[in-house]
Amino acid sequence: MLEQSLLMVKPHAFTAKKTGMIISMLENNDFQIVGIKSIKLTPELARRFYFVHEGKEFFERLINYMSTGTVAAICVEKENCVADLRKFIGATDPAKAAEGTIRKVVGVTVEQNGVHASDSVENAKKEIRFFFSDIELYSYRYLQY
Ligand code: IDP
Ligand code: MG
């Protein structure tokens, strides 16, 4: 089924100028860009985005890290997008990420693992809505030039 998902480039990867390469990796693997922006999350916004992890041992560090610098939010579309994107980003721990995955290439540590991707169709819808309004999303899939 044609689906959309949300990929976020984390602060260290954005600062290290990896965003362009990540976009190329997505486009070269049939993920079509439907929306894209950069934003500096406040701690409050990071808390809202990662609320499911509230109370976990790493939560405060994650919130602090995610609000240290710019992130890029990218809404992508393809068949089976949510599962395919999770597979394409690789394991949470970059040391365990498979060859050719985004985290294998840009991940440094479990926290600084380069990118976030939605983990379900339902969460993808919420996360896309978190970053984008209607006029910021457009699927050119059926346009022909
Ligand atoms: P995911 O990003 O692969 O979906 P989650 O378990 O949802 O992984 O965790 C969200 C984020 O929290 C991870 O991407 C990672 O940056 C951070 N995180 C998860 N587990 C740990 C940990 O044990 N130590 C430090 N950071 C962690
Ligand atoms: Mg997750």
Side-chain angles (χ1 to χ4, degrees), residues 50 52-53 86 116-117 119:
Y50 277 116
V52 291
H53 296 297
R86 284 298 299 196
H116 163 91
D119 62 5

Side-chain angles (χ1 to χ4, degrees), residues 10 49-50 52-53 56 86 89 92 103 116-119 123 127:
K10 294 189 179 185
F49 187 83
Y50 277 116
V52 291
H53 296 297
K56 290 186 185 163
R86 284 298 299 196
I89 69 168
T92 305
R103 281 171 166 170
H116 163 91
S118 310
D119 62 5
N123 284 340
E127 292 178 0

Side-chain angles (χ1 to χ4, degrees), residues 10 50 52-53 56-59 61-62 65-66 86 89-93 103 109-119:
K10 294 189 179 185
Y50 277 116
V52 291
H53 296 297
K56 290 186 185 163
E57 174 271 322
F58 60 83
F59 183 69
R61 262 181 294 125
L62 180 64
Y65 164 59
M66 290 303 297
R86 284 298 299 196
I89 69 168
T92 305
D93 180 354
R103 281 171 166 170
T109 62
V110 173
E111 184 175 78
Q112 299 188 10
N113 55 7
V115 291
H116 163 91
S118 310
D119 62 5

